[in-house]
C-alpha cells in the first residue's frame, strides 16, 4: 500500500424503520365468540385480576399496538405486538412476546386498533418464560386465547 493513498469510507444508505425487515406475523385468526364466556370472571382492572392468575377469564379493555423494545428510544417500532389496556392503565399483552402468535396479523390490528374489546384467554400475572432462554418481560399476558371481539354495549 502506498503511504499517501487515502481510503474514504463508502457511504451507505440507511434504512428507515419501515424498510427494515420485520419478523413474520402470525396467521392465527382468533374466533369472534366463545360459547361459555358469560360464566367466566370479568377483568376490567388489575385489582379484579389478582385472584385469577393462570385461569381462563374475560378481559375487557382498549386494543393497542405495543412497542416491546427494552429501550424505548426514538420512534416507536410496531411489528405486530398488541396489548389490552385495562381501565386502570395496566397493559396485558396478547400472547407472550417471544411466541410467534404474539405478532398479530395487520388485518386484525386494523380491525381492532384503539377500540374497546373483550378477550377470552388464560391470564398470567407475569408472562411465561421464553423456553429458548431469551428475555421475557415481567408484564401480564393472555395465552390460549379462545376469542377476541368488539365489546358489545
Amino acid at each position: 500500500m502506498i503511504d499517501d493513498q487515502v481510503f474514504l469510507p463508502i457511504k451507505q444508505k440507511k434504512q428507515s424503520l419501515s424498510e427494515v425487515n420485520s419478523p413474520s406475523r402470525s396467521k392465527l385468526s382468533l374466533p369472534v365468540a366463545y360459547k361459555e364466556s358469560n360464566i367466566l370472571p370479568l377483568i376490567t382492572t388489575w385489582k379484579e385480576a389478582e385472584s385469577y392468575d393462570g385461569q381462563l377469564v374475560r378481559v375487557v379493555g382498549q386494543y393497542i399496538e405495543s412497542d416491546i423494545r427494552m429501550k424505548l428510544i426514538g420512534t416507536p417500532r410496531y411489528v405486530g405486538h398488541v396489548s389490552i389496556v385495562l381501565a386502570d392503565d395496566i397493559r396485558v399483552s396478547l400472547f407472550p412476546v417471544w411466541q410467534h402468535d404474539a405478532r398479530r396479523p395487520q388485518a386484525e390490528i386494523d380491525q381492532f386498533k384503539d377500540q374497546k374489546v373483550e378477550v377470552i384467554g388464560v391470564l398470567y400475572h407475569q408472562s411465561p418464560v421464553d423456553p429458548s432462554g431469551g428475555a421475557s418481560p415481567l408484564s401480564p399476558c393472555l395465552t390460549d386465547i379462545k376469542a377476541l371481539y368488539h365489546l358489545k354495549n
Side-chain angles (χ1 to χ4, degrees), residues 3-147:
D3 288 336
D4 62 349
Q5 275 186 318
V6 177
F7 291 96
L8 298 174
I10 299 172
K11 213 173 204 181
Q12 295 180 353
K13 180 183 173 196
K14 290 185 178 181
Q15 292 180 323
S16 71
L17 285 179
S18 62
E19 294 172 321
V20 174
N21 290 338
S22 295
S24 66
R25 294 193 183 208
S26 172
K27 295 191 182 337
L28 176 67
S29 180
L30 298 172
V32 295
Y34 185 69
K35 190 188 251 186
E36 300 171 3
S37 65
N38 60 339
I39 64 172
L40 296 173
L42 176 63
I43 308 298
T44 60
T45 65
W46 188 246
K47 183 174 180 163
E48 295 168 345
E50 289 177 350
S51 60
Y52 296 106
D53 189 32
Q55 294 184 39
L56 187 65
V57 296
R58 296 183 305 158
V59 173
V60 171
Q62 184 180 17
Y63 181 107
I64 64 162
E65 287 186 275
S66 297
D67 182 348
I68 64 160
R69 297 175 299 157
M70 294 197 57
K71 293 184 180 181
L72 301 176
I73 298 171
T75 305
R77 182 157 186 242
Y78 300 119
V79 293
H81 293 91
V82 299
S83 297
I84 306 304
V85 181
L86 302 178
D88 53 4
D89 291 327
I90 299 297
R91 293 176 180 215
V92 180
S93 63
L94 287 190
F95 300 101
V97 297
W98 47 262
Q99 190 175 4
H100 177 71
D101 287 330
R103 291 182 296 275
R104 306 306 306 142
Q106 188 62 50
E108 176 185 298
I109 292 171
D110 293 342
Q111 180 181 2
F112 294 109
K113 184 178 176 183
D114 298 329
Q115 296 186 38
K116 203 140 202 162
V117 297
E118 183 166 305
V119 184
I120 311 296
V122 176
L123 174 71
Y124 287 98
H125 291 173
Q126 287 188 350
S127 183
V129 176
D130 184 349
S132 67
S136 296
L138 299 176
S139 58
C141 81
L142 287 161
T143 65
D144 194 24
I145 297 174
K146 308 290 185 196

